[in-house]
Amino acid sequence: EDKVVQSPLSLVVHEGDTVTLNCSYEVTNFRSLLWYKQEKKAPTFLFMLTSSGIEKKSGRLSSILDKKELFSILNITATQTGDSAIYLCAVERGSNYKLTFGKGTLLTVNP
Amino acid sequence: NAGVTQTPKFQVLKTGQSMTLQCAQDMNHNSMYWYRQDPGMGLRLIYYSASEGTTDKGEVPNGYNVSRLNKREFSLRLESAAPSQTSVYFCASSEGFQPQHFGDGTRLSIL
């Protein structure tokens, strides 16, 4: 059975802090790992990672995948209150298009 | 562009009532998905349709049925609603191994 574990489950920081969110996984025939941000409604796509060691970056957010140790991290630097959200990690098998999600990390950024 | 549209946005049912949740996408995607999201549980796949004319069970299919009406539309039916089906339901679509796009969700309460 595929498994995705995110940590921490919740995190409270102050504006300007840097945070690191973790995602470990066990999946047969791994193809990719995805990060989504969920505010009040629909999860919105952040990154898709397929290769080890290659950092993906978008503004203050970055992510990297380690396929040997089976984990990924999502970094957010200089956090803002608008970064407050649930961050979801999901893995995809190569044999189909299904995603298995972790339980998410609830990030709260206080002013 | 509308992307993925779900109707209704909110619904309250009594135990034993039936209900169909509607989902439509305008991105010409082949694959569509139904998830439920419960507090602390992340997103769990109920059913998916890899292409028009096919449907398959996900992780939590019991108590649900689906219909892939055409390439655009994928509906989820609760034949006899139970309180355990109180949840937020998300529809998503994708093309091949591209990231899934999500609708804004349907918040369903069953009394």
Side-chain angles (χ1 to χ4, degrees), chain A residues 6 10 16 18-19 22 26 29 32 35 42 45-46 56 66 70 76 84 86 90 100-101 103-104 108:
Chain A
Q6 292 187 244
S10 66
T18 293
V19 299
N22 304 291
E26 297 174 28
N29 192 19
S32 65
W35 286 97
F45 170 72
L46 293 174
K56 295 244 177 153
D66 185 327
L70 307 183
I76 309 174
S84 296
I86 297 173
T100 300
F101 281 85
K103 294 183 178 181
T108 303

Side-chain angles (χ1 to χ4, degrees), chain A residues 1 31-32 34 36 38 40-45 48 86 88 92-104, chain B residues 9 31 33 35 37 40-45 48 50 57-59 90 94 96-104 107:
Chain A
E1 183 180 325
R31 184 187 179 276
S32 65
L34 295 89
Y36 285 85
Q38 184 179 23
K40 295 199 183 301
K41 294 184 177 178
T44 53
F45 170 72
M48 176 186 275
I86 297 173
L88 296 165
E92 183 175 42
R93 285 188 176 193
S95 56
N96 56 48
Y97 310 126
K98 295 192 296 182
L99 294 179
T100 300
F101 281 85
K103 294 183 178 181
Chain B
K9 296 191 187 314
S31 302
Y33 313 82
Y35 294 89
Q37 186 175 35
M41 295 295 292
L43 285 158
R44 292 184 292 170
L45 183 66
Y48 69 104
K57 294 178 181 179
E59 182 185 352
F90 286 98
S94 68
F97 287 113
Q98 295 302 305
Q100 292 180 18
H101 294 260
F102 287 82
D104 283 342
R107 189 172 293 274

Side-chain angles (χ1 to χ4, degrees), chain B residues 62-111:
Chain B
N62 291 347
Y64 304 96
N65 286 302
V66 290
S67 295
R68 184 73 183 266
L69 304 169
N70 48 55
K71 191 171 184 179
R72 289 187 65 248
E73 298 171 290
F74 189 37
S75 63
L76 178 72
R77 183 161 177 84
L78 287 71
E79 288 291 352
S80 178
S84 61
Q85 294 177 305
T86 293
S87 189
V88 181
Y89 291 84
F90 286 98
C91 178
S93 71
S94 68
E95 182 61 31
F97 287 113
Q98 295 302 305
Q100 292 180 18
H101 294 260
F102 287 82
D104 283 342
T106 294
R107 189 172 293 274
L108 184 60
S109 293
I110 299 161
L111 307 176

Side-chain angles (χ1 to χ4, degrees), chain A residues 71-85:
Chain A
F71 77 92
S72 173
I73 59 172
L74 175 68
N75 278 323
I76 309 174
T77 59
T79 51
Q80 303 171 355
T81 54
D83 295 326
S84 296

